[in-house]
Amino acid sequence: MIIIAFSKKTSKILPRILCRKWRHVAPIVMENNKLMLYQFIRKNRVEKIPLKMRDIKILMQYGWVFYTIKSEPNKKPNFNNAWTCVQMTKDIARIKNIWIQTPNALLEKIPKLGIF
């Protein structure tokens, strides 16, 4: 099971210009009975942040939205090829669609893929 988190806030300039409503996306994966959030920082730099349910509730208060995908996460994601947070999330969630380039497009395709 993968939880995909969407946020309207970002510190990057390009997402502020190119992305409409949702500007950042981050996958949350269960590892060793703990929730791990993969935070994309830049190419070749991804931070793993451990989360608890309390942390998710706090993120929800700050405007984050969470969607659950019932597929198995990629065991060996390749972060070297990811230029954006969306590409990293697609790699972890095993979504192969070249037309998904923004968090808005990813959010639109999740229910259509039948994995919502």
Side-chain angles (χ1 to χ4, degrees):
M1 179 178 80
I2 303 169
I3 302 170
I4 299 180
F6 292 90
S7 174
K8 295 179 183 179
K9 299 175 184 174
T10 185
S11 63
K12 309 286 184 195
I13 295 171
L14 277 178
R16 288 184 191 173
I17 297 169
L18 298 176
C19 302
R20 286 183 246 141
K21 184 176 180 182
W22 303 104
R23 295 185 174 156
H24 184 67
V25 62
I28 302 172
V29 179
M30 187 76 117
E31 289 183 2
N32 301 327
N33 295 327
K34 294 182 180 178
L35 293 173
M36 295 298 282
L37 180 128
Y38 286 86
Q39 180 69 35
F40 181 82
I41 297 173
R42 63 177 180 268
K43 186 172 172 31
N44 297 329
R45 179 74 191 254
V46 175
E47 293 291 326
K48 290 170 64 174
I49 302 170
L51 292 179
K52 296 180 182 174
M53 287 308 293
R54 177 182 177 272
D55 301 325
I56 291 178
K57 290 179 183 177
I58 291 170
L59 288 173
M60 289 172 98
Q61 290 175 351
Y62 282 100
W64 287 65
V65 176
F66 298 92
Y67 288 91
T68 304
I69 296 178
K70 295 182 180 179
S71 66
E72 285 297 317
N74 191 354
K75 298 292 182 190
K76 296 181 181 177
N78 187 3
F79 299 127
N80 297 332
N81 293 338
W83 284 83
T84 64
C85 58
V86 176
Q87 289 176 345
M88 178 196 64
T89 304
K90 287 184 350 184
D91 186 38
I92 291 176
R94 297 181 182 193
I95 297 173
K96 307 279 188 215
N97 189 339
I98 61 170
W99 301 111
I100 299 175
Q101 296 296 323
T102 63
N104 294 327
L106 182 62
L107 185 61
E108 289 175 5
K109 293 291 182 182
I110 287 176
K112 292 180 184 176
L113 293 173
I115 50 180
F116 178 67

